[in-house]
Amino acid sequence: MKKSLYLFLLIIGFFSFFFTTHAAPFVSVIYPNGGESLKLGRSYNITWSQQNVDYVYIYLLNGDSVVDNIVNQLPVNINASNGSYSYTIPSSPTIELGGNYKIRVSAYQSGIGDTFDVSDSIFSVVQTDLPKVDIKAYSENMSPIPWDGPMTVYGKVYISWEAQNVSSCVASGGRPDFNGPQSLKGSLTTTAPLSGDYSVTLTCTDGQTTV
């Protein structure tokens, strides 16, 4: 009786180990999963949850058609529960502006099998709104100063700006005492030196494009 019970437990242990080690792959798209607006030329992290997967293929679908093979046979950690891949929406004749797109992630476990998942609903590809900056500069007597060229000026200088489609603007200048502020809409007053060159730079960015 003891020998039979011992053998029975060994058999159960063997099959438990076998099926745990060779469980079927699973994948589920997390982002983009529907309703998003992705901009041409911008980078996004495609993300998914996974189990028992050691490599994936990722596709961009427009309707039922593949319009971009994003990545082929991308190795992933078989023990990881999530995966991601950075993808830049390309300007391509096959990618039209509109809202009929989905992501497909095909997942594989070598020698075992494969599965796939697509975005739950469609998302849009839209035109990118490039950063725009309107800058004005005046001398102490309120004479306009050309922002893109040299001009002889003494005393105080007044500068104002307003930016669109950006996340931050930082002003910096040619003197150690001038660095800042950070704002999408702002103004500053500085004093030009009596001699020598003096420059002011305004850098605005949306996180990917800088002007």
Side-chain angles (χ1 to χ4, degrees):
M1 181 65 180
K2 289 184 178 180
K3 289 183 179 180
S4 299
L5 179 60
Y6 179 70
L7 180 60
F8 177 70
L9 290 175
L10 280 178
I11 293 173
I12 292 177
F14 171 77
F15 278 102
S16 175
F17 172 79
F18 179 83
F19 286 115
T20 300
T21 304
H22 298 85
F26 165 83
V27 70
S28 178
V29 174
I30 296 175
Y31 181 89
N33 202 32
E36 301 87 353
S37 294
L38 306 189
K39 296 181 179 181
L40 284 174
R42 299 304 167 87
S43 297
Y44 301 90
N45 281 330
I46 299 172
T47 58
W48 62 91
S49 60
Q50 64 177 53
Q51 293 177 6
N52 309 306
V53 174
D54 55 14
Y55 65 94
V56 299
Y57 288 69
I58 306 176
Y59 308 93
L60 177 64
L61 306 179
N62 187 354
D64 295 326
S65 301
V66 175
V67 293
D68 193 12
N69 293 322
I70 296 174
V71 65
N72 294 327
Q73 205 163 347
L74 174 71
V76 296
N77 184 348
I78 196 169
N79 296 314
S81 59
N82 291 283
S84 68
Y85 184 78
S86 180
Y87 175 53
T88 301
I89 307 295
S91 296
S92 167
T94 63
I95 298 179
E96 304 172 346
L97 298 180
N100 201 28
Y101 289 92
K102 291 186 177 183
I103 288 293
R104 170 175 169 150
V105 179
S106 297
Y108 298 78
Q109 184 182 164
S110 300
I112 301 301
D114 62 273
T115 187
F116 73 91
D117 188 44
V118 299
S119 306
D120 286 347
S121 58
I122 59 175
F123 59 87
S124 301
V125 172
V126 300
Q127 186 65 52
T128 301
D129 296 322
L130 295 176
K132 298 179 182 179
V133 183
D134 181 33
I135 306 172
K136 297 178 181 179
Y138 299 92
S139 63
E140 191 167 3
N141 62 2
M142 299 309 293
S143 297
I145 300 174
W147 183 254
D148 56 354
M151 180 178 180
T152 301
V153 62
Y154 304 101
K156 292 183 179 181
V157 177
Y158 304 97
I159 301 171
S160 64
W161 67 87
E162 184 170 357
Q164 299 177 359
N165 307 320
V166 300
S167 55
S168 68
C169 290
V170 178
S172 60
R175 298 176 60 189
D177 61 348
F178 173 48
N179 186 12
Q182 178 172 313
S183 175
L184 305 185
K185 182 178 181 180
S187 62
L188 59 89
T189 301
T190 184
T191 302
L194 295 178
S195 63
D197 296 330
Y198 178 48
S199 64
V200 175
T201 302
L202 182 66
T203 302
C204 298
T205 181
D206 62 359
Q208 298 193 31
T209 302
T210 300
V211 295

